[in-house]
Amino acid sequence: MSTIPSVTLNNGAEIPQLGFGVWQVPDAEATPAVRAAIEAGYRSIDTAAIYENEVGTGQAVAEAGVPREELYITTKLWNSGTEDWSGQAGKDAVRKAFDESLGKLGLDYVDLYLIHWPRPMHGTFLNVWEGVTELLADGRVKSVGVSNFGIPQLETLLKESSVVPVLNQVELHPYFPQQELRDFQAQHGIATEAWSPLGQGGALLAEPELVKIAEKHGRTVTQVVLRWHLQSGVIAIPKSVTPSRIRENLDVAGFELDAADLAAIAGVATGVRIGPDPQSFDWN
């Protein structure tokens, strides 16, 4: 089993720096995939209400034979649930959505609960955040954070709320390294977590410069990219349903990217997103 470092969050909690994501994994496949991940050594599992696999994920956690306190489980609040996220109705909707997620997972608590998208055009994310932070009081949520928030939304939370998000989960990979956002978050004690840390569609994994680095170290390109995340201080949550790939993704100890490697990886950045722009994304 590889030794994966942990990141200490701003509330003192620790999260493994390399976790297992289940985006686009059907519910029936989530159980064997998550079970294989836990058996391989993953201790952080990331799901979301919109993924529709919280039941399968929770079943795997129940079957894993690993003490619950050794696992770090994240899920996320989806955009729907009410037409109006403002006022008390919005906060009640947050609690209802959380209760549904917790029930599907079959857990007494989750380690991290995130707002999935900010939807800034509605002007309600601050109220949603207040609803999320209220969940901390009864202990069924250990930490709260956000996903896909930009600097303007984070500035609002920092100004208006007494609770600072422990992390922001965003699209981040060598093509789209998000350096400005990462710098801002580091200044304010907000950890950065990467979704799609390996990009999508395989283009990144065929990038010639990355292939050269992989050959130099006798590693796969996937391992090189995940090593880049770790050395950058970023939390990464790759996903796979193939047991051999699940194990491969975890095996990123035992080698170090040098300055030349890091410069070459920086050189492949395009600044182009794969996913939607959070500032305009409004899917319900």
PDB file of all heavy atoms in Angstrom, residues 173-175 196-215 219-227 229 238-240 245 248-249 268 274:
ATOM      1  N   HIS A 173      -5.797  20.622 -13.841  1.00  0.00           N
ATOM      2  CA  HIS A 173      -4.904  19.637 -14.449  1.00  0.00           C
ATOM      3  C   HIS A 173      -3.822  20.423 -15.177  1.00  0.00           C
ATOM      4  O   HIS A 173      -3.908  21.666 -15.272  1.00  0.00           O
ATOM      5  CB  HIS A 173      -5.677  18.708 -15.397  1.00  0.00           C
ATOM      6  CG  HIS A 173      -6.667  19.415 -16.261  1.00  0.00           C
ATOM      7  ND1 HIS A 173      -6.301  20.157 -17.374  1.00  0.00           N
ATOM      8  CD2 HIS A 173      -8.020  19.543 -16.154  1.00  0.00           C
ATOM      9  CE1 HIS A 173      -7.380  20.682 -17.925  1.00  0.00           C
ATOM     10  NE2 HIS A 173      -8.440  20.340 -17.201  1.00  0.00           N
ATOM     11  N   PRO A 174      -2.780  19.778 -15.708  1.00  0.00           N
ATOM     12  CA  PRO A 174      -1.702  20.541 -16.349  1.00  0.00           C
ATOM     13  C   PRO A 174      -2.142  21.449 -17.492  1.00  0.00           C
ATOM     14  O   PRO A 174      -1.509  22.487 -17.719  1.00  0.00           O
ATOM     15  CB  PRO A 174      -0.752  19.447 -16.839  1.00  0.00           C
ATOM     16  CG  PRO A 174      -0.896  18.378 -15.815  1.00  0.00           C
ATOM     17  CD  PRO A 174      -2.380  18.373 -15.506  1.00  0.00           C
ATOM     18  N   TYR A 175      -3.204  21.108 -18.208  1.00  0.00           N
ATOM     19  CA  TYR A 175      -3.707  22.008 -19.239  1.00  0.00           C
ATOM     20  C   TYR A 175      -4.347  23.252 -18.634  1.00  0.00           C
ATOM     21  O   TYR A 175      -4.363  24.320 -19.234  1.00  0.00           O
ATOM     22  CB  TYR A 175      -4.755  21.307 -20.105  1.00  0.00           C
ATOM     23  CG  TYR A 175      -4.221  20.374 -21.161  1.00  0.00           C
ATOM     24  CD1 TYR A 175      -5.011  19.327 -21.645  1.00  0.00           C
ATOM     25  CD2 TYR A 175      -2.945  20.518 -21.710  1.00  0.00           C
ATOM     26  CE1 TYR A 175      -4.540  18.461 -22.621  1.00  0.00           C
ATOM     27  CE2 TYR A 175      -2.462  19.667 -22.684  1.00  0.00           C
ATOM     28  CZ  TYR A 175      -3.271  18.630 -23.134  1.00  0.00           C
ATOM     29  OH  TYR A 175      -2.797  17.785 -24.102  1.00  0.00           O
ATOM     30  N   SER A 196     -11.329  16.018 -12.216  1.00  0.00           N
ATOM     31  CA  SER A 196     -10.700  15.697 -13.511  1.00  0.00           C
ATOM     32  C   SER A 196      -9.204  16.004 -13.470  1.00  0.00           C
ATOM     33  O   SER A 196      -8.675  16.712 -14.335  1.00  0.00           O
ATOM     34  CB  SER A 196     -11.371  16.457 -14.655  1.00  0.00           C
ATOM     35  OG  SER A 196     -12.634  15.916 -14.949  1.00  0.00           O
ATOM     36  N   PRO A 197      -8.486  15.476 -12.462  1.00  0.00           N
ATOM     37  CA  PRO A 197      -7.065  15.792 -12.337  1.00  0.00           C
ATOM     38  C   PRO A 197      -6.221  15.255 -13.488  1.00  0.00           C
ATOM     39  O   PRO A 197      -5.095  15.717 -13.688  1.00  0.00           O
ATOM     40  CB  PRO A 197      -6.673  15.128 -11.013  1.00  0.00           C
ATOM     41  CG  PRO A 197      -7.656  14.005 -10.853  1.00  0.00           C
ATOM     42  CD  PRO A 197      -8.935  14.551 -11.405  1.00  0.00           C
ATOM     43  N   LEU A 198      -6.775  14.315 -14.250  1.00  0.00           N
ATOM     44  CA  LEU A 198      -6.059  13.742 -15.395  1.00  0.00           C
ATOM     45  C   LEU A 198      -6.606  14.261 -16.712  1.00  0.00           C
ATOM     46  O   LEU A 198      -6.296  13.720 -17.781  1.00  0.00           O
ATOM     47  CB  LEU A 198      -6.158  12.211 -15.353  1.00  0.00           C
ATOM     48  CG  LEU A 198      -5.638  11.546 -14.082  1.00  0.00           C
ATOM     49  CD1 LEU A 198      -5.945  10.062 -14.084  1.00  0.00           C
ATOM     50  CD2 LEU A 198      -4.141  11.797 -13.927  1.00  0.00           C
ATOM     51  N   GLY A 199      -7.407  15.335 -16.650  1.00  0.00           N
ATOM     52  CA  GLY A 199      -8.057  15.817 -17.858  1.00  0.00           C
ATOM     53  C   GLY A 199      -9.171  14.865 -18.257  1.00  0.00           C
ATOM     54  O   GLY A 199      -9.589  14.004 -17.479  1.00  0.00           O
ATOM     55  N   GLN A 200      -9.652  14.993 -19.466  1.00  0.00           N
ATOM     56  CA  GLN A 200     -10.686  14.100 -19.985  1.00  0.00           C
ATOM     57  C   GLN A 200     -10.383  13.762 -21.437  1.00  0.00           C
ATOM     58  O   GLN A 200      -9.806  14.559 -22.163  1.00  0.00           O
ATOM     59  CB  GLN A 200     -12.073  14.754 -19.881  1.00  0.00           C
ATOM     60  CG  GLN A 200     -12.559  14.964 -18.456  1.00  0.00           C
ATOM     61  CD  GLN A 200     -13.896  15.674 -18.402  1.00  0.00           C
ATOM     62  OE1 GLN A 200     -14.667  15.654 -19.351  1.00  0.00           O
ATOM     63  NE2 GLN A 200     -14.181  16.325 -17.287  1.00  0.00           N
ATOM     64  N   GLY A 201     -10.766  12.553 -21.825  1.00  0.00           N
ATOM     65  CA  GLY A 201     -10.624  12.171 -23.221  1.00  0.00           C
ATOM     66  C   GLY A 201      -9.263  11.640 -23.615  1.00  0.00           C
ATOM     67  O   GLY A 201      -9.050  11.243 -24.757  1.00  0.00           O
ATOM     68  N   GLY A 202      -8.309  11.634 -22.702  1.00  0.00           N
ATOM     69  CA  GLY A 202      -7.016  11.031 -22.971  1.00  0.00           C
ATOM     70  C   GLY A 202      -5.979  11.918 -23.619  1.00  0.00           C
ATOM     71  O   GLY A 202      -4.824  11.513 -23.772  1.00  0.00           O
ATOM     72  N   ALA A 203      -6.353  13.138 -24.024  1.00  0.00           N
ATOM     73  CA  ALA A 203      -5.393  14.013 -24.704  1.00  0.00           C
ATOM     74  C   ALA A 203      -4.192  14.331 -23.826  1.00  0.00           C
ATOM     75  O   ALA A 203      -3.040  14.300 -24.275  1.00  0.00           O
ATOM     76  CB  ALA A 203      -6.077  15.303 -25.151  1.00  0.00           C
ATOM     77  N   LEU A 204      -4.446  14.643 -22.568  1.00  0.00           N
ATOM     78  CA  LEU A 204      -3.358  14.998 -21.661  1.00  0.00           C
ATOM     79  C   LEU A 204      -2.382  13.838 -21.491  1.00  0.00           C
ATOM     80  O   LEU A 204      -1.162  14.036 -21.446  1.00  0.00           O
ATOM     81  CB  LEU A 204      -3.931  15.412 -20.298  1.00  0.00           C
ATOM     82  CG  LEU A 204      -2.913  15.849 -19.242  1.00  0.00           C
ATOM     83  CD1 LEU A 204      -2.222  17.139 -19.652  1.00  0.00           C
ATOM     84  CD2 LEU A 204      -3.599  16.027 -17.886  1.00  0.00           C
ATOM     85  N   LEU A 205      -2.916  12.626 -21.416  1.00  0.00           N
ATOM     86  CA  LEU A 205      -2.069  11.463 -21.168  1.00  0.00           C
ATOM     87  C   LEU A 205      -1.234  11.081 -22.380  1.00  0.00           C
ATOM     88  O   LEU A 205      -0.312  10.257 -22.266  1.00  0.00           O
ATOM     89  CB  LEU A 205      -2.932  10.283 -20.715  1.00  0.00           C
ATOM     90  CG  LEU A 205      -3.784  10.545 -19.461  1.00  0.00           C
ATOM     91  CD1 LEU A 205      -4.507   9.288 -19.041  1.00  0.00           C
ATOM     92  CD2 LEU A 205      -2.920  11.081 -18.318  1.00  0.00           C
ATOM     93  N   ALA A 206      -1.546  11.688 -23.543  1.00  0.00           N
ATOM     94  CA  ALA A 206      -0.751  11.445 -24.753  1.00  0.00           C
ATOM     95  C   ALA A 206       0.173  12.622 -25.051  1.00  0.00           C
ATOM     96  O   ALA A 206       0.874  12.614 -26.073  1.00  0.00           O
ATOM     97  CB  ALA A 206      -1.676  11.192 -25.938  1.00  0.00           C
ATOM     98  N   GLU A 207       0.184  13.618 -24.179  1.00  0.00           N
ATOM     99  CA  GLU A 207       1.003  14.814 -24.390  1.00  0.00           C
ATOM    100  C   GLU A 207       2.482  14.422 -24.464  1.00  0.00           C
ATOM    101  O   GLU A 207       3.024  13.834 -23.524  1.00  0.00           O
ATOM    102  CB  GLU A 207       0.759  15.800 -23.249  1.00  0.00           C
ATOM    103  CG  GLU A 207       1.398  17.145 -23.406  1.00  0.00           C
ATOM    104  CD  GLU A 207       0.813  17.948 -24.558  1.00  0.00           C
ATOM    105  OE1 GLU A 207      -0.420  17.957 -24.706  1.00  0.00           O
ATOM    106  OE2 GLU A 207       1.622  18.558 -25.290  1.00  0.00           O
ATOM    107  N   PRO A 208       3.185  14.738 -25.573  1.00  0.00           N
ATOM    108  CA  PRO A 208       4.574  14.284 -25.749  1.00  0.00           C
ATOM    109  C   PRO A 208       5.507  14.634 -24.588  1.00  0.00           C
ATOM    110  O   PRO A 208       6.331  13.800 -24.175  1.00  0.00           O
ATOM    111  CB  PRO A 208       4.998  14.967 -27.045  1.00  0.00           C
ATOM    112  CG  PRO A 208       3.729  15.123 -27.812  1.00  0.00           C
ATOM    113  CD  PRO A 208       2.680  15.417 -26.779  1.00  0.00           C
ATOM    114  N   GLU A 209       5.418  15.856 -24.066  1.00  0.00           N
ATOM    115  CA  GLU A 209       6.307  16.240 -22.977  1.00  0.00           C
ATOM    116  C   GLU A 209       6.077  15.383 -21.732  1.00  0.00           C
ATOM    117  O   GLU A 209       7.016  15.031 -21.012  1.00  0.00           O
ATOM    118  CB  GLU A 209       6.127  17.720 -22.630  1.00  0.00           C
ATOM    119  CG  GLU A 209       6.708  18.677 -23.656  1.00  0.00           C
ATOM    120  CD  GLU A 209       8.219  18.541 -23.783  1.00  0.00           C
ATOM    121  OE1 GLU A 209       8.876  18.279 -22.751  1.00  0.00           O
ATOM    122  OE2 GLU A 209       8.736  18.680 -24.901  1.00  0.00           O
ATOM    123  N   LEU A 210       4.823  15.037 -21.496  1.00  0.00           N
ATOM    124  CA  LEU A 210       4.512  14.211 -20.332  1.00  0.00           C
ATOM    125  C   LEU A 210       4.963  12.772 -20.554  1.00  0.00           C
ATOM    126  O   LEU A 210       5.401  12.098 -19.611  1.00  0.00           O
ATOM    127  CB  LEU A 210       3.017  14.269 -20.026  1.00  0.00           C
ATOM    128  CG  LEU A 210       2.441  15.662 -19.728  1.00  0.00           C
ATOM    129  CD1 LEU A 210       0.983  15.545 -19.296  1.00  0.00           C
ATOM    130  CD2 LEU A 210       3.253  16.386 -18.671  1.00  0.00           C
ATOM    131  N   VAL A 211       4.840  12.308 -21.788  1.00  0.00           N
ATOM    132  CA  VAL A 211       5.313  10.961 -22.119  1.00  0.00           C
ATOM    133  C   VAL A 211       6.818  10.861 -21.864  1.00  0.00           C
ATOM    134  O   VAL A 211       7.315   9.869 -21.311  1.00  0.00           O
ATOM    135  CB  VAL A 211       4.979  10.609 -23.584  1.00  0.00           C
ATOM    136  CG1 VAL A 211       5.644   9.293 -23.989  1.00  0.00           C
ATOM    137  CG2 VAL A 211       3.465  10.518 -23.782  1.00  0.00           C
ATOM    138  N   LYS A 212       7.565  11.899 -22.235  1.00  0.00           N
ATOM    139  CA  LYS A 212       9.018  11.911 -22.009  1.00  0.00           C
ATOM    140  C   LYS A 212       9.349  11.825 -20.520  1.00  0.00           C
ATOM    141  O   LYS A 212      10.259  11.103 -20.105  1.00  0.00           O
ATOM    142  CB  LYS A 212       9.633  13.181 -22.594  1.00  0.00           C
ATOM    143  CG  LYS A 212       9.643  13.256 -24.110  1.00  0.00           C
ATOM    144  CD  LYS A 212      10.243  14.591 -24.558  1.00  0.00           C
ATOM    145  CE  LYS A 212      10.171  14.756 -26.070  1.00  0.00           C
ATOM    146  NZ  LYS A 212      10.685  16.090 -26.496  1.00  0.00           N
ATOM    147  N   ILE A 213       8.616  12.594 -19.728  1.00  0.00           N
ATOM    148  CA  ILE A 213       8.859  12.597 -18.285  1.00  0.00           C
ATOM    149  C   ILE A 213       8.552  11.216 -17.701  1.00  0.00           C
ATOM    150  O   ILE A 213       9.293  10.695 -16.856  1.00  0.00           O
ATOM    151  CB  ILE A 213       8.020  13.685 -17.595  1.00  0.00           C
ATOM    152  CG1 ILE A 213       8.458  15.065 -18.079  1.00  0.00           C
ATOM    153  CG2 ILE A 213       8.140  13.586 -16.071  1.00  0.00           C
ATOM    154  CD1 ILE A 213       7.541  16.187 -17.636  1.00  0.00           C
ATOM    155  N   ALA A 214       7.465  10.608 -18.167  1.00  0.00           N
ATOM    156  CA  ALA A 214       7.092   9.279 -17.687  1.00  0.00           C
ATOM    157  C   ALA A 214       8.175   8.259 -18.024  1.00  0.00           C
ATOM    158  O   ALA A 214       8.559   7.425 -17.178  1.00  0.00           O
ATOM    159  CB  ALA A 214       5.757   8.869 -18.294  1.00  0.00           C
ATOM    160  N   GLU A 215       8.687   8.329 -19.233  1.00  0.00           N
ATOM    161  CA  GLU A 215       9.746   7.402 -19.643  1.00  0.00           C
ATOM    162  C   GLU A 215      11.012   7.615 -18.811  1.00  0.00           C
ATOM    163  O   GLU A 215      11.691   6.666 -18.425  1.00  0.00           O
ATOM    164  CB  GLU A 215      10.047   7.583 -21.126  1.00  0.00           C
ATOM    165  CG  GLU A 215       8.902   7.115 -22.032  1.00  0.00           C
ATOM    166  CD  GLU A 215       9.138   7.452 -23.498  1.00  0.00           C
ATOM    167  OE1 GLU A 215      10.053   8.266 -23.777  1.00  0.00           O
ATOM    168  OE2 GLU A 215       8.400   6.923 -24.354  1.00  0.00           O
ATOM    169  N   ARG A 219       7.703   5.499 -15.204  1.00  0.00           N
ATOM    170  CA  ARG A 219       6.337   5.563 -14.683  1.00  0.00           C
ATOM    171  C   ARG A 219       5.352   5.784 -15.819  1.00  0.00           C
ATOM    172  O   ARG A 219       5.745   6.051 -16.959  1.00  0.00           O
ATOM    173  CB  ARG A 219       6.223   6.710 -13.669  1.00  0.00           C
ATOM    174  CG  ARG A 219       7.074   6.524 -12.428  1.00  0.00           C
ATOM    175  CD  ARG A 219       6.470   5.507 -11.497  1.00  0.00           C
ATOM    176  NE  ARG A 219       7.234   5.342 -10.272  1.00  0.00           N
ATOM    177  CZ  ARG A 219       6.708   4.971  -9.105  1.00  0.00           C
ATOM    178  NH1 ARG A 219       5.402   4.750  -9.017  1.00  0.00           N
ATOM    179  NH2 ARG A 219       7.464   4.817  -8.038  1.00  0.00           N
ATOM    180  N   THR A 220       4.054   5.708 -15.504  1.00  0.00           N
ATOM    181  CA  THR A 220       3.044   6.043 -16.499  1.00  0.00           C
ATOM    182  C   THR A 220       2.794   7.546 -16.474  1.00  0.00           C
ATOM    183  O   THR A 220       3.122   8.222 -15.496  1.00  0.00           O
ATOM    184  CB  THR A 220       1.727   5.313 -16.217  1.00  0.00           C
ATOM    185  OG1 THR A 220       1.178   5.809 -14.986  1.00  0.00           O
ATOM    186  CG2 THR A 220       1.932   3.808 -16.107  1.00  0.00           C
ATOM    187  N   VAL A 221       2.210   8.056 -17.556  1.00  0.00           N
ATOM    188  CA  VAL A 221       1.881   9.483 -17.589  1.00  0.00           C
ATOM    189  C   VAL A 221       0.876   9.810 -16.484  1.00  0.00           C
ATOM    190  O   VAL A 221       0.952  10.862 -15.843  1.00  0.00           O
ATOM    191  CB  VAL A 221       1.337   9.891 -18.973  1.00  0.00           C
ATOM    192  CG1 VAL A 221       0.899  11.355 -18.968  1.00  0.00           C
ATOM    193  CG2 VAL A 221       2.382   9.655 -20.054  1.00  0.00           C
ATOM    194  N   THR A 222      -0.052   8.910 -16.259  1.00  0.00           N
ATOM    195  CA  THR A 222      -1.023   9.107 -15.179  1.00  0.00           C
ATOM    196  C   THR A 222      -0.312   9.329 -13.848  1.00  0.00           C
ATOM    197  O   THR A 222      -0.651  10.253 -13.090  1.00  0.00           O
ATOM    198  CB  THR A 222      -1.959   7.892 -15.075  1.00  0.00           C
ATOM    199  OG1 THR A 222      -2.739   7.790 -16.257  1.00  0.00           O
ATOM    200  CG2 THR A 222      -2.870   7.999 -13.866  1.00  0.00           C
ATOM    201  N   GLN A 223       0.666   8.512 -13.552  1.00  0.00           N
ATOM    202  CA  GLN A 223       1.390   8.647 -12.294  1.00  0.00           C
ATOM    203  C   GLN A 223       2.171   9.952 -12.238  1.00  0.00           C
ATOM    204  O   GLN A 223       2.251  10.593 -11.186  1.00  0.00           O
ATOM    205  CB  GLN A 223       2.322   7.448 -12.103  1.00  0.00           C
ATOM    206  CG  GLN A 223       1.562   6.156 -11.823  1.00  0.00           C
ATOM    207  CD  GLN A 223       2.449   4.925 -11.884  1.00  0.00           C
ATOM    208  OE1 GLN A 223       3.433   4.888 -12.620  1.00  0.00           O
ATOM    209  NE2 GLN A 223       2.105   3.915 -11.098  1.00  0.00           N
ATOM    210  N   VAL A 224       2.714  10.372 -13.379  1.00  0.00           N
ATOM    211  CA  VAL A 224       3.433  11.644 -13.431  1.00  0.00           C
ATOM    212  C   VAL A 224       2.496  12.805 -13.128  1.00  0.00           C
ATOM    213  O   VAL A 224       2.825  13.716 -12.342  1.00  0.00           O
ATOM    214  CB  VAL A 224       4.108  11.833 -14.803  1.00  0.00           C
ATOM    215  CG1 VAL A 224       4.552  13.286 -15.004  1.00  0.00           C
ATOM    216  CG2 VAL A 224       5.299  10.903 -14.945  1.00  0.00           C
ATOM    217  N   VAL A 225       1.318  12.789 -13.739  1.00  0.00           N
ATOM    218  CA  VAL A 225       0.369  13.888 -13.520  1.00  0.00           C
ATOM    219  C   VAL A 225      -0.104  13.911 -12.067  1.00  0.00           C
ATOM    220  O   VAL A 225      -0.197  14.987 -11.444  1.00  0.00           O
ATOM    221  CB  VAL A 225      -0.823  13.777 -14.482  1.00  0.00           C
ATOM    222  CG1 VAL A 225      -1.882  14.830 -14.145  1.00  0.00           C
ATOM    223  CG2 VAL A 225      -0.363  13.948 -15.928  1.00  0.00           C
ATOM    224  N   LEU A 226      -0.389  12.757 -11.505  1.00  0.00           N
ATOM    225  CA  LEU A 226      -0.814  12.724 -10.112  1.00  0.00           C
ATOM    226  C   LEU A 226       0.322  13.148  -9.175  1.00  0.00           C
ATOM    227  O   LEU A 226       0.085  13.822  -8.170  1.00  0.00           O
ATOM    228  CB  LEU A 226      -1.344  11.337  -9.750  1.00  0.00           C
ATOM    229  CG  LEU A 226      -2.651  10.956 -10.442  1.00  0.00           C
ATOM    230  CD1 LEU A 226      -3.037   9.516 -10.123  1.00  0.00           C
ATOM    231  CD2 LEU A 226      -3.787  11.903 -10.056  1.00  0.00           C
ATOM    232  N   ARG A 227       1.541  12.784  -9.526  1.00  0.00           N
ATOM    233  CA  ARG A 227       2.691  13.234  -8.736  1.00  0.00           C
ATOM    234  C   ARG A 227       2.812  14.760  -8.801  1.00  0.00           C
ATOM    235  O   ARG A 227       3.139  15.422  -7.800  1.00  0.00           O
ATOM    236  CB  ARG A 227       3.972  12.581  -9.258  1.00  0.00           C
ATOM    237  CG  ARG A 227       5.202  12.872  -8.432  1.00  0.00           C
ATOM    238  CD  ARG A 227       5.163  12.151  -7.112  1.00  0.00           C
ATOM    239  NE  ARG A 227       5.894  12.904  -6.086  1.00  0.00           N
ATOM    240  CZ  ARG A 227       5.889  12.587  -4.804  1.00  0.00           C
ATOM    241  NH1 ARG A 227       5.218  11.541  -4.378  1.00  0.00           N
ATOM    242  NH2 ARG A 227       6.560  13.308  -3.938  1.00  0.00           N
ATOM    243  N   HIS A 229       0.346  16.864  -9.104  1.00  0.00           N
ATOM    244  CA  HIS A 229      -0.659  17.399  -8.187  1.00  0.00           C
ATOM    245  C   HIS A 229      -0.136  17.379  -6.752  1.00  0.00           C
ATOM    246  O   HIS A 229      -0.247  18.380  -6.030  1.00  0.00           O
ATOM    247  CB  HIS A 229      -1.953  16.580  -8.278  1.00  0.00           C
ATOM    248  CG  HIS A 229      -2.805  16.902  -9.461  1.00  0.00           C
ATOM    249  ND1 HIS A 229      -3.553  18.058  -9.544  1.00  0.00           N
ATOM    250  CD2 HIS A 229      -3.039  16.229 -10.611  1.00  0.00           C
ATOM    251  CE1 HIS A 229      -4.210  18.083 -10.699  1.00  0.00           C
ATOM    252  NE2 HIS A 229      -3.911  16.976 -11.360  1.00  0.00           N
ATOM    253  N   PRO A 238      -8.687  11.212  -8.670  1.00  0.00           N
ATOM    254  CA  PRO A 238      -8.882  10.484  -9.928  1.00  0.00           C
ATOM    255  C   PRO A 238      -9.944   9.410  -9.779  1.00  0.00           C
ATOM    256  O   PRO A 238     -10.200   8.924  -8.674  1.00  0.00           O
ATOM    257  CB  PRO A 238      -7.506   9.873 -10.180  1.00  0.00           C
ATOM    258  CG  PRO A 238      -6.927   9.695  -8.809  1.00  0.00           C
ATOM    259  CD  PRO A 238      -7.391  10.899  -8.040  1.00  0.00           C
ATOM    260  N   LYS A 239     -10.540   9.009 -10.903  1.00  0.00           N
ATOM    261  CA  LYS A 239     -11.540   7.949 -10.855  1.00  0.00           C
ATOM    262  C   LYS A 239     -11.217   6.896 -11.898  1.00  0.00           C
ATOM    263  O   LYS A 239     -10.601   7.158 -12.931  1.00  0.00           O
ATOM    264  CB  LYS A 239     -12.946   8.496 -11.073  1.00  0.00           C
ATOM    265  CG  LYS A 239     -13.193   9.020 -12.488  1.00  0.00           C
ATOM    266  CD  LYS A 239     -14.386   8.348 -13.119  1.00  0.00           C
ATOM    267  CE  LYS A 239     -14.610   8.868 -14.530  1.00  0.00           C
ATOM    268  NZ  LYS A 239     -15.527   8.049 -15.298  1.00  0.00           N
ATOM    269  N   SER A 240     -11.625   5.667 -11.598  1.00  0.00           N
ATOM    270  CA  SER A 240     -11.509   4.551 -12.517  1.00  0.00           C
ATOM    271  C   SER A 240     -12.397   3.433 -11.990  1.00  0.00           C
ATOM    272  O   SER A 240     -12.671   3.374 -10.787  1.00  0.00           O
ATOM    273  CB  SER A 240     -10.059   4.064 -12.626  1.00  0.00           C
ATOM    274  OG  SER A 240      -9.976   2.935 -13.478  1.00  0.00           O
ATOM    275  N   ARG A 245      -6.026  -0.040 -12.788  1.00  0.00           N
ATOM    276  CA  ARG A 245      -5.826   1.410 -12.874  1.00  0.00           C
ATOM    277  C   ARG A 245      -6.016   2.061 -11.508  1.00  0.00           C
ATOM    278  O   ARG A 245      -5.337   3.035 -11.177  1.00  0.00           O
ATOM    279  CB  ARG A 245      -6.827   2.005 -13.875  1.00  0.00           C
ATOM    280  CG  ARG A 245      -6.586   1.565 -15.309  1.00  0.00           C
ATOM    281  CD  ARG A 245      -5.939   2.660 -16.115  1.00  0.00           C
ATOM    282  NE  ARG A 245      -5.695   2.218 -17.481  1.00  0.00           N
ATOM    283  CZ  ARG A 245      -6.523   2.448 -18.495  1.00  0.00           C
ATOM    284  NH1 ARG A 245      -7.660   3.098 -18.283  1.00  0.00           N
ATOM    285  NH2 ARG A 245      -6.209   2.028 -19.701  1.00  0.00           N
ATOM    286  N   GLU A 248      -2.827   1.534  -9.846  1.00  0.00           N
ATOM    287  CA  GLU A 248      -1.784   2.331 -10.501  1.00  0.00           C
ATOM    288  C   GLU A 248      -1.857   3.784 -10.076  1.00  0.00           C
ATOM    289  O   GLU A 248      -0.835   4.424  -9.799  1.00  0.00           O
ATOM    290  CB  GLU A 248      -1.937   2.222 -12.016  1.00  0.00           C
ATOM    291  CG  GLU A 248      -0.998   3.116 -12.815  1.00  0.00           C
ATOM    292  CD  GLU A 248      -1.340   3.128 -14.297  1.00  0.00           C
ATOM    293  OE1 GLU A 248      -1.526   2.039 -14.880  1.00  0.00           O
ATOM    294  OE2 GLU A 248      -1.440   4.229 -14.873  1.00  0.00           O
ATOM    295  N   ASN A 249      -3.070   4.320 -10.011  1.00  0.00           N
ATOM    296  CA  ASN A 249      -3.243   5.728  -9.643  1.00  0.00           C
ATOM    297  C   ASN A 249      -2.769   6.019  -8.223  1.00  0.00           C
ATOM    298  O   ASN A 249      -2.396   7.151  -7.907  1.00  0.00           O
ATOM    299  CB  ASN A 249      -4.712   6.134  -9.781  1.00  0.00           C
ATOM    300  CG  ASN A 249      -5.173   6.201 -11.221  1.00  0.00           C
ATOM    301  OD1 ASN A 249      -4.377   6.141 -12.150  1.00  0.00           O
ATOM    302  ND2 ASN A 249      -6.483   6.311 -11.410  1.00  0.00           N
ATOM    303  N   VAL A 268       2.922  22.855 -20.893  1.00  0.00           N
ATOM    304  CA  VAL A 268       1.804  22.295 -21.670  1.00  0.00           C
ATOM    305  C   VAL A 268       0.490  23.013 -21.382  1.00  0.00           C
ATOM    306  O   VAL A 268      -0.529  22.744 -22.024  1.00  0.00           O
ATOM    307  CB  VAL A 268       1.630  20.774 -21.435  1.00  0.00           C
ATOM    308  CG1 VAL A 268       2.940  20.041 -21.629  1.00  0.00           C
ATOM    309  CG2 VAL A 268       1.023  20.474 -20.064  1.00  0.00           C
ATOM    310  N   ILE A 274     -11.940  22.192 -19.735  1.00  0.00           N
ATOM    311  CA  ILE A 274     -12.628  21.048 -20.330  1.00  0.00           C
ATOM    312  C   ILE A 274     -14.108  21.120 -19.974  1.00  0.00           C
ATOM    313  O   ILE A 274     -14.974  20.896 -20.803  1.00  0.00           O
ATOM    314  CB  ILE A 274     -12.032  19.729 -19.813  1.00  0.00           C
ATOM    315  CG1 ILE A 274     -10.595  19.560 -20.306  1.00  0.00           C
ATOM    316  CG2 ILE A 274     -12.875  18.541 -20.250  1.00  0.00           C
ATOM    317  CD1 ILE A 274      -9.862  18.410 -19.660  1.00  0.00           C
TER     318      ILE A 274
END
